[in-house]
Amino acid sequence: MERSNWTEIEFILQGLSEYPKIEKLLFVLCLVMYLVILLGNSTLIILTLLDSRLHMPMYFFLGNLSFLDIWYTSSFIPSMLIHFLSEKKTISFTRCVIQMSVSFTMGSTECVLLAVMAYDRYVAICNPLRYSIIMSKTLCIQMAALSWGLGLLNSLIETVLAIRLPFCGKNIINHFVCEILAFVKLACTDISLNETVIMLGNIIFLFSPLLLICISYIFILSTVLRINSVEGRKKAFSTCSAHMTVVIVFYGTILLMYMKPKSKDSAFNKLIALFYGIVTPMLNPVIYSLRNAEVHRAMRKLMRKHQFWRK
């Protein structure tokens, strides 16, 4: 198919069309969770910008993570909510590609960013006296830019390879959103190159950062166990407990998706994918603010300012 005909191509997002009542329930659940995502992550971004005590590398990277989660979920949730209540579940080729590339960029970036945040915790615990020197403002910006740049590059490569494929069938995507593997499988040509590139991308952007995270925490654990006082150990663990929880939720969900036994129930598989796409970004601000005294202080300070100006 010629590129001039791209505008004529439409895809059908099947979702759970065979279960309309479940789709209406999912509409309510996903809408509530999306609002929580916007509120929680926006609040964290505002706090990290306004409160000078949060102008530290950890919160700089956390702000990037929150910004990323907002963009990631906004790339597909609004259109998915519309499709839940609509009988016509079509999406144009252009919108499908944009949705696919944006979500893929954000997912790839998050993998690298979690590894960067692990390195930040490693320096903070294993080399605390030189922390402010090593984790300088310049290095933090460079590491954040590297995360975004690698995520964008990975998405660009896989998206360009995908949009070059010819489509000549019914173009029914058995998913809630435009997912790249489901997208390329609709092509009426050999897709072995696309599948190889996707597999390599998954290895590089999923398992390489995970390996770096594990190495960082091996050094962290080794350092913490050498601390004599119990209070010192607790304090050291508390500084990285939120990041560890986010990593476990993020990679735990991915492993559940890709390593679970193959099920004939495609509805269950799609719901697991939906959990990965929505619940994880919703939990991130909750995890980082739940037991974080600095975030609590910044929140109280912001609320006092708000009450002052209301008076």
Side-chain angles (χ1 to χ4, degrees):
M1 183 164 296
E2 298 296 329
R3 294 190 182 189
S4 58
N5 293 334
W6 281 357
T7 55
E8 300 173 9
I9 305 175
E10 281 192 335
F11 296 92
I12 300 172
L13 295 172
Q14 192 171 18
L16 292 178
S17 302
E18 63 272 31
Y19 305 108
K21 291 184 179 179
I22 295 179
E23 283 200 327
K24 287 179 174 58
L25 176 62
L26 285 175
F27 171 83
V28 176
L29 291 174
C30 292
L31 177 61
V32 171
M33 288 191 287
Y34 182 52
L35 294 175
V36 172
I37 289 168
L38 293 178
L39 178 63
N41 286 288
S42 298
T43 301
L44 273 180
I45 292 172
I46 292 169
L47 290 176
T48 55
L49 290 174
L50 297 182
D51 197 301
S52 58
R53 285 177 294 187
L54 299 184
H55 291 174
M56 296 186 291
M58 183 178 82
Y59 296 105
F60 170 72
F61 295 127
L62 179 57
N64 274 265
L65 183 65
S66 295
F67 181 77
L68 181 152
D69 283 338
I70 290 173
W71 272 96
Y72 172 68
T73 52
S74 297
S75 69
F76 68 90
I77 291 182
S79 62
M80 185 177 68
L81 292 175
I82 294 172
H83 288 155
F84 280 151
L85 301 180
S86 174
E87 292 184 4
K88 186 181 180 183
K89 303 179 187 295
T90 58
I91 184 170
S92 68
F93 182 90
T94 304
R95 284 179 56 210
C96 187
V97 169
I98 291 173
Q99 183 183 96
M100 184 173 63
S101 61
V102 170
S103 61
F104 210 78
T105 299
M106 300 304 147
S108 302
T109 302
E110 182 162 1
C111 292
V112 182
L113 194 59
L114 287 174
V116 168
M117 295 172 78
Y119 175 73
D120 170 69
R121 293 299 83 205
Y122 157 74
V123 177
I125 293 174
C126 299
N127 209 343
L129 298 179
R130 300 188 64 234
Y131 177 71
S132 58
I133 299 173
I134 297 173
M135 298 302 294
S136 63
K137 183 178 180 181
T138 302
L139 180 64
C140 290
I141 293 173
Q142 289 174 344
M143 293 173 79
L146 178 66
S147 301
W148 286 95
L150 289 175
L152 179 61
L153 179 63
N154 184 42
S155 175
L156 187 63
I157 292 171
E158 300 200 16
T159 302
V160 168
L161 288 175
I163 63 176
R164 294 170 63 88
L165 298 171
F167 298 91
C168 48
K170 292 183 179 180
N171 295 336
I172 299 175
I173 297 178
N174 189 24
H175 211 293
F176 294 107
V177 298
C178 287
E179 194 267 334
I180 191 161
L181 191 56
F183 180 88
V184 300
K185 283 183 176 179
L186 295 176
C188 47
T189 187
D190 178 47
I191 59 168
S192 56
L193 174 62
N194 298 79
E195 290 179 325
T196 302
V197 172
I198 290 171
M199 182 186 69
L200 288 174
N202 288 340
I203 292 172
I204 293 170
F205 282 88
L206 284 175
F207 296 106
S208 297
L210 181 59
L211 177 62
L212 294 174
I213 291 169
C214 290
I215 292 172
S216 296
Y217 276 104
I218 288 171
F219 282 108
I220 288 171
L221 184 62
S222 174
T223 301
V224 170
L225 292 178
R226 289 201 298 269
I227 299 174
N228 294 325
S229 67
V230 176
E231 195 64 32
R233 290 181 185 179
K234 285 183 179 179
K235 186 177 179 181
F237 274 123
S238 66
T239 62
C240 54
S241 59
H243 178 263
M244 286 176 62
T245 307
V246 168
V247 169
I248 290 169
V249 171
F250 182 78
Y251 279 100
T253 312
I254 293 174
L255 291 175
L256 178 64
M257 284 174 57
Y258 290 104
M259 298 185 70
K260 65 180 178 59
K262 290 186 178 179
S263 172
K264 293 181 179 178
D265 187 0
S266 63
F268 175 75
N269 295 333
K270 285 182 277 190
L271 288 173
I272 291 293
L274 188 63
F275 173 86
Y276 163 71
I278 298 181
V279 176
T280 304
M282 184 184 72
L283 290 178
N284 285 349
V286 177
I287 293 168
Y288 270 99
S289 60
L290 197 60
R291 296 178 61 187
N292 193 311
E294 291 171 330
V295 173
H296 290 175
R297 282 195 296 268
M299 180 70 75
R300 288 194 294 269
K301 182 179 176 181
L302 185 64
M303 291 177 68
R304 284 197 297 269
K305 282 186 178 180
H306 178 67
Q307 290 173 353
F308 173 79
W309 286 110
R310 286 186 66 181
K311 294 177 181 179

